[in-house]
Amino acid sequence: MNHQQTVAAAVDQWVTGIAARIPGHTVFVENHAHTEYAKTLAGDGSVVLVVDGDADDPAIVSVKGTFDEPGEEVLVDGTLSLEIQDYVAVPFINLVGATVVRLAGQDDWEAFFADAEEARRSGHFVRQLTEVNAVLAERGFLAGFGSVNRSLTRVHIAADGTVLNGPYGTVIGRVGDPLHDVRLKAVPLAPESVIASVCDASMVRMGLNQRPWIPRYLAALDAWKFVLREQREDTRLVGFGLSLYGAGESHSLPLPRAPFILERQGEFRLLDTGTGRVFKVGADVATLVEAFSNLRDVEAAAGVAAQTLGVSPADAGVSARAVIAQFDRLGIDLLGAL
């Protein structure tokens, strides 16, 4: 990656908490007086972002603006501009440029869960969240990427010198503490520790546990970005307000990385978001793919899809195996397990 790409990846890692955007961790410094200490926390491949930092210091990246006020703007390295908005406000505004959608309080989380439930029930998504320039903060935690091994994906040094495991996280040290001590405090923390300073983290964790399909919802938001803007109004995503075989609430949604079935004007396409490849399929194939992706078992899928297809479960099973084999030859994992 060149310098600009590295900076963008580091900012993404700081916003989302998703590791491996850069080789090391992102260190964000609110008070430039703590710059030298921040450098001691930055190992190989790390990036140090400093508010009002010295633009001539090659060891850091200067940041202008503030990240903790909705409607404000953050300018990173003089080129990367990010607007900051709270989740509750996003449905009522137009996103002009790259926008960080913060989940900064209890109201934001309640609205997020309500919108996810509505999407699954009716197929209605908040339009702004499907835009390419919307970046959902704490995506790593929401999608289940958070783990004890990734607690130092980012280090946030607040203006008062406290060190946190993210901009809204848990205190893991103070300015002057060596990296070893900071790491020791970070490692045992639960994933929800990254939001502990702004809301009741245990209640958020409970909300996620009650909705194990949230990672698939996040993947659905990404899937919309592959749909042409002029086709969005009459396109539906199978699994969100639409089932081709009458899936009940007991049927789980597919794994996050599984392909999506898109329906538009009675025609079906299979979208693999990992590669961006799209395949036109018939209604029968779409039905079998949905059932197999949901139930993750060929016989169970054939059993529930047979009536819709108007064939016996045995015949549905033969067809399902043929569909799975065909997509496997094309390099498409219908379960999204790989």
Side-chain angles (χ1 to χ4, degrees):
M1 291 190 291
N2 61 33
H3 174 75
Q4 192 173 26
Q5 291 171 327
T6 298
V7 170
V11 171
D12 182 88
Q13 185 163 301
W14 171 68
V15 170
T16 66
I18 299 176
R21 297 308 202 228
I22 57 174
H25 48 268
T26 300
V27 183
F28 191 98
V29 186
E30 292 187 30
N31 184 343
H32 63 85
H34 301 142
T35 299
E36 293 307 312
Y37 168 68
K39 293 177 182 178
T40 71
L41 301 181
D44 291 342
S46 295
V47 174
V48 180
L49 307 171
V50 182
V51 176
D52 295 327
D54 182 0
D56 294 325
D57 185 344
I60 69 167
V61 174
S62 180
V63 175
K64 299 293 183 183
T66 178
F67 72 92
D68 56 359
E69 290 293 334
E72 293 295 327
E73 186 178 67
V74 172
L75 183 64
V76 182
D77 203 30
T79 57
L80 177 58
S81 178
L82 301 171
E83 184 177 344
I84 310 299
Q85 289 292 348
D86 286 347
Y87 184 92
V88 292
V90 164
F92 308 103
I93 62 175
N94 289 320
L95 306 187
V96 178
T99 302
V100 175
V101 182
R102 304 189 314 161
L103 292 154
Q106 208 68 31
D107 290 347
D108 291 315
W109 284 102
E110 289 174 2
F112 171 79
F113 286 135
D115 289 340
E117 292 276 5
E118 178 65 21
R120 186 174 187 188
R121 180 174 57 253
S122 71
H124 172 74
F125 290 77
V126 175
R127 174 185 57 81
Q128 291 83 343
L129 296 179
T130 68
E131 300 291 344
V132 174
N133 53 347
V135 182
L136 189 62
E138 305 308 332
R139 176 72 180 256
F141 167 55
L142 284 169
F145 295 131
S147 73
V148 294
N149 293 325
R150 293 178 174 174
S151 294
L152 280 184
T153 294
R154 53 193 174 168
V155 179
H156 190 94
I157 305 176
D160 64 359
T162 54
V163 180
L164 305 95
N165 62 337
Y168 307 113
T170 297
V171 175
I172 54 176
R174 287 198 59 83
V175 167
D177 292 347
L179 178 60
H180 176 267
D181 291 354
V182 170
R183 190 185 301 277
L184 283 178
K185 290 181 181 178
V187 165
L189 294 175
E192 60 267 29
S193 66
V194 297
I195 57 168
S197 68
V198 291
C199 64
D200 185 341
S202 63
M203 291 298 293
V204 173
R205 167 55 70 181
M206 185 182 302
L208 291 173
N209 288 341
Q210 291 169 346
R211 302 168 181 85
W213 45 267
I214 285 292
R216 181 62 172 177
Y217 168 66
L218 298 177
L221 293 175
D222 290 341
W224 277 111
K225 298 171 184 179
F226 290 85
V227 180
L228 295 175
R229 190 180 298 273
E230 59 269 23
Q231 295 182 356
R232 289 187 175 187
E233 187 173 347
D234 56 358
T235 296
R236 296 189 295 172
L237 268 61
V238 171
F240 290 90
L242 171 66
S243 173
L244 304 179
Y245 70 89
E249 290 187 4
S250 62
H251 291 194
S252 62
L253 288 178
L255 296 173
R257 289 187 296 223
F260 282 87
I261 296 292
L262 285 65
E263 184 273 335
R264 180 172 182 263
Q265 299 178 351
E267 295 185 345
F268 299 91
R269 290 174 294 155
L270 183 142
L271 165 66
D272 178 43
T273 57
T275 63
R277 298 165 72 190
V278 178
F279 304 86
K280 188 174 180 179
V281 297
D284 289 356
V285 170
T287 301
L288 289 169
V289 169
E290 181 201 0
F292 180 59
S293 297
N294 284 352
L295 301 174
R296 299 162 208 169
D297 179 85
V298 175
E299 300 305 325
V304 299
Q307 185 172 357
T308 300
L309 300 181
V311 300
S312 69
D315 288 343
V318 171
S319 297
R321 291 185 185 89
V323 169
I324 295 166
Q326 177 64 22
F327 278 109
D328 186 58
R329 285 192 290 270
L330 293 170
I332 303 297
D333 174 21
L334 293 180
L335 290 186
L338 299 178

